Amino acid sequence: MKMADEPIVVGIDIGTTKVCTLVARVEGGSSFRILGVGIEPSQGIRKGTIVDLQAASQAIARSIEKAERTSGMEITSALVSLAGSHVSSVNSRGVVGIAGRVIDQEDVFRALDAAQAVAIPHNREIIHVIQRGFVVDGQDGIRMPVGMHGYRLEVEAHIITAAASTVENLRQCVQASGVEVVQFVLNPLASAEVVLSDTERQMGVVVCDIGGGTTDMAIYIDGDIWHTMVLGIGGNHITSDIAHGLRLPLSQAEEIKKLYGHAVQSDIPENETFSTRIFGEERPVEISRRDLAMIIEARVEEIFDLILQEIKRSGYDGLLPAGVVLTGGSSLLPGIRTLASQVMGLPVRIAKPENLLGLTDQLNSPAYSTSVGLLSWAMMMSETPAAAGKRSRKKGGSSEFGDWFKSFLKRLLP
């Protein structure tokens, strides 16, 4: 959508706990103003995947309708977030011959196509193909090879895939509201657009988006994405532990977590209590905050243990001087930064979207990093015309991202 020559971008963040639709106008080519916000509790979604098609479609439709009403615009297309343990990634290398001439953008496109020639099962769909760097005649560390002379061009690419059926179910839910999915964007990649600094990306950093049903992480080194992973654990597991440990309904456990929760038991005075009504009791009972913190600390520690294991499994644990950047709704839990630093032995900070314009009252929170990050991705896509005639070869998926990625590369060319 365009208005007064300024593109209108739309992002739909479909999470386990909420669906957030944002409409924004790109201003000055580098910032955007929030025009419409539609936030609706999620239904029919568990750990980032659709478990009830009708309920999920209705929740998404309500979110889109709210955003249309506040912005005064009709939404016809959008970028949509993607998460879930079905997401996986692999690093690949593509090689093409140049025959001793100057490298042009077509050679870059051919190298990226070659990098996608990996064994992808028929039930998987390629979501992202992200270049990590180029090698020309054995010389590595090249950011953009166009204009260089060479005989052999190699590209190192990070390929992210997802279960095709899960992606199609999500697409079907969005299309039921009359909205076309322009591109799916992995949650931590969207969040990274608004919470990471260029210095952190260059030095080496992990962004962890801890949501309700999943913990999404991405490792950035030398300014590029090196590893991605989605863990099927999040804030809802903490809530479930509280509900079981204190014998409470889930809705009440969630409220208590937000009001009295803390991730470090030793930080809570022994005499602090709160009153609530539990199963089997006719009157409210007094519960120690330290007991509540003990339940929370055990689960949060497990989450960071799993994150640390994944960092070590990637092999990049020694290349992260910038440490960990936490975002997502569960990062709002008091004491979580301290516990994360203790468990992982890395510097930790909590980040949220900043420098927003327009309807931003609810969005200045880590819970909306992915939502705002989708707008940043959409803004990048709106800055260039479509790469007409450029089709990426896919192994079991659509070529939408291939078209945009080539278009995005053109924007980087001198």
Side-chain angles (χ1 to χ4, degrees), residues 317-356:
D317 50 312
L319 303 173
L320 305 170
V324 179
V325 175
L326 296 181
T327 191
S330 295
S331 67
L332 292 167
L333 186 67
I336 195 168
R337 188 191 69 82
T338 302
L339 186 58
S341 185
Q342 290 174 356
V343 173
M344 296 188 287
L346 291 168
V348 178
R349 75 176 179 92
I350 297 173
K352 63 181 181 179
E354 296 179 347
N355 304 319
L356 299 177

Side-chain angles (χ1 to χ4, degrees), residues 98-214:
I98 306 300
R101 55 176 173 78
V102 174
I103 299 170
D104 59 25
Q105 62 186 20
E106 285 295 331
D107 298 318
V108 173
F109 297 156
R110 288 195 299 123
L112 286 167
D113 281 343
Q116 295 179 57
V118 294
I120 303 294
H122 71 279
N123 62 342
R124 307 287 297 176
E125 179 173 335
I126 294 179
I127 303 299
H128 295 294
V129 181
I130 305 171
Q131 62 89 9
R132 288 172 43 186
F134 295 90
V135 180
V136 178
D137 293 345
Q139 179 184 346
D140 59 6
I142 295 174
R143 304 291 296 179
M144 181 51 65
V146 173
M148 295 182 174
H149 189 278
Y151 291 85
R152 175 187 171 96
L153 174 65
E154 302 174 52
V155 61
E156 295 180 356
H158 186 70
I159 300 176
I160 300 172
T161 67
S165 58
T166 303
V167 173
E168 190 56 38
N169 288 336
L170 198 57
R171 182 182 285 114
Q172 186 177 338
C173 287
V174 177
Q175 289 178 342
S177 300
V179 177
E180 192 67 28
V181 179
V182 177
Q183 169 62 34
F184 287 106
V185 182
L186 191 64
N187 276 15
L189 302 189
S191 299
E193 289 298 316
V194 294
V195 302
L196 294 186
S197 67
D198 291 339
T199 302
E200 287 172 330
R201 292 169 182 260
Q202 198 66 33
M203 292 295 294
V205 69
V206 183
V207 57
C208 290
D209 189 326
I210 308 177
T214 62

Side-chain angles (χ1 to χ4, degrees), residues 372-413:
V372 178
L374 288 172
L375 298 179
S376 294
W377 273 76
M379 185 170 65
M380 285 193 299
M381 294 174 65
S382 71
E383 290 175 2
T384 55
K390 303 296 182 186
R391 305 300 293 178
S392 275
R393 181 155 55 91
K394 298 289 180 183
K395 292 272 188 169
S398 71
S399 59
E400 293 166 346
F401 184 75
D403 290 343
W404 169 75
F405 185 68
K406 292 178 179 181
S407 174
F408 179 57
L409 280 178
K410 284 185 175 180
R411 183 170 66 87
L412 300 178
L413 300 179

Side-chain angles (χ1 to χ4, degrees), residues 275-320:
S275 178
T276 189
R277 181 171 293 176
I278 65 176
F279 286 124
E281 297 289 339
E282 295 182 358
R283 295 182 179 180
V285 298
E286 293 292 319
I287 296 176
S288 168
R289 276 195 70 198
R290 284 181 71 99
D291 291 343
L292 173 64
M294 178 182 67
I295 295 171
I296 294 174
E297 183 175 355
R299 177 64 78 174
V300 174
E301 189 173 340
E302 180 195 8
I303 291 174
F304 290 124
D305 274 333
L306 292 172
I307 292 173
L308 182 61
Q309 289 176 23
E310 185 60 31
I311 293 173
K312 290 182 176 180
R313 192 181 71 82
S314 73
Y316 305 129
D317 50 312
L319 303 173
L320 305 170

